[in-house]
Amino acid sequence: MRWVRAFGLPLLVFTAVVVQRSGAGDFSLLGVHPDFVMLMVAAVGVYRGREVGALTGFFAGLVVDSFLTTPFGISALVLCVVGYVAGEVERVGTTTPLALKILIVGAASVLGEVLSSLVLYLLGIGNPLQSRTLDEVIIVGGINLVLAPLALGLCRLVFGPQERTPMLERR
């Protein structure tokens, strides 16, 4: 069990990338593919906090960017922001209800899709005002919202239970 704690985070990211790039990533709903890497980054951010979420998002984004044809670094930027924003739940404390954590994972996924669309627009690659963009935001956010309990459960399995220290004592 010690090796799971030592290699848990890279294993989670690697598993999300493999699932994304394998047959499960080919599943589509109305032509929109789910984003399992964004789901895992948001779950890690919610479970471990801002710093770990941002670093996980950055390195996972670099791995994802190596498979895409978009300019290198866009996914790293977007996933870094998603991990950081999802990690803001640590300000509430570790006694945050599971339902709120699930909603934060879904909201962070929606934010990631919107941010990705805006960054691509700023680079002259895409247009966020297309109806497909709204479909992507709703479908990816919805799928990640449904799969959030599974992702949070994997985080609990890898990282162990969260400590119950009050926020004022941590800083």
Side-chain angles (χ1 to χ4, degrees):
M1 192 66 171
R2 285 182 77 175
W3 68 272
V4 173
R5 300 240 189 265
F7 298 108
L9 187 57
L11 188 65
L12 282 177
V13 171
F14 178 75
T15 303
V17 170
V18 167
V19 168
Q20 183 72 36
R21 300 302 301 170
S22 70
D26 291 338
F27 165 76
S28 68
L29 186 64
L30 298 175
V32 178
H33 299 281
D35 196 342
F36 298 116
V37 178
M38 189 177 301
L39 167 69
M40 195 54 64
V41 166
V44 168
V46 165
Y47 203 81
R48 295 294 294 194
R50 297 175 299 228
E51 293 86 4
V52 175
L55 285 173
T56 302
F58 179 74
F59 288 112
L62 289 179
V63 172
V64 168
D65 278 334
S66 66
F67 294 106
L68 299 177
T69 58
T70 56
F72 196 77
I74 292 177
S75 296
L77 170 69
V78 170
L79 291 176
C80 181
V81 171
V82 166
Y84 185 86
V85 169
E88 282 292 315
V89 74
E90 77 178 355
R91 291 184 184 261
V92 178
T94 57
T95 58
T96 308
L98 179 62
L100 181 59
K101 290 179 182 180
I102 291 170
L103 288 175
I104 289 172
V105 169
S109 299
V110 167
L111 173 73
E113 286 298 315
V114 169
L115 186 61
S116 177
S117 179
L118 288 176
V119 168
L120 290 174
Y121 174 71
L122 289 175
L123 293 175
I125 297 173
N127 182 4
L129 299 178
Q130 295 175 343
S131 63
R132 177 149 172 88
T133 303
L134 184 60
D135 292 343
E136 289 176 1
V137 168
I138 292 171
I139 291 172
V140 170
I143 289 173
N144 286 358
L145 183 69
V146 169
L147 294 177
L150 175 66
L152 289 169
L154 286 173
C155 287
R156 181 180 172 87
L157 178 72
V158 168
F159 299 122
Q162 291 177 307
E163 69 272 359
R164 302 267 182 203
T165 57
M167 189 62 196
L168 294 176
E169 291 179 16
R170 260 196 279 172
R171 299 281 178 203

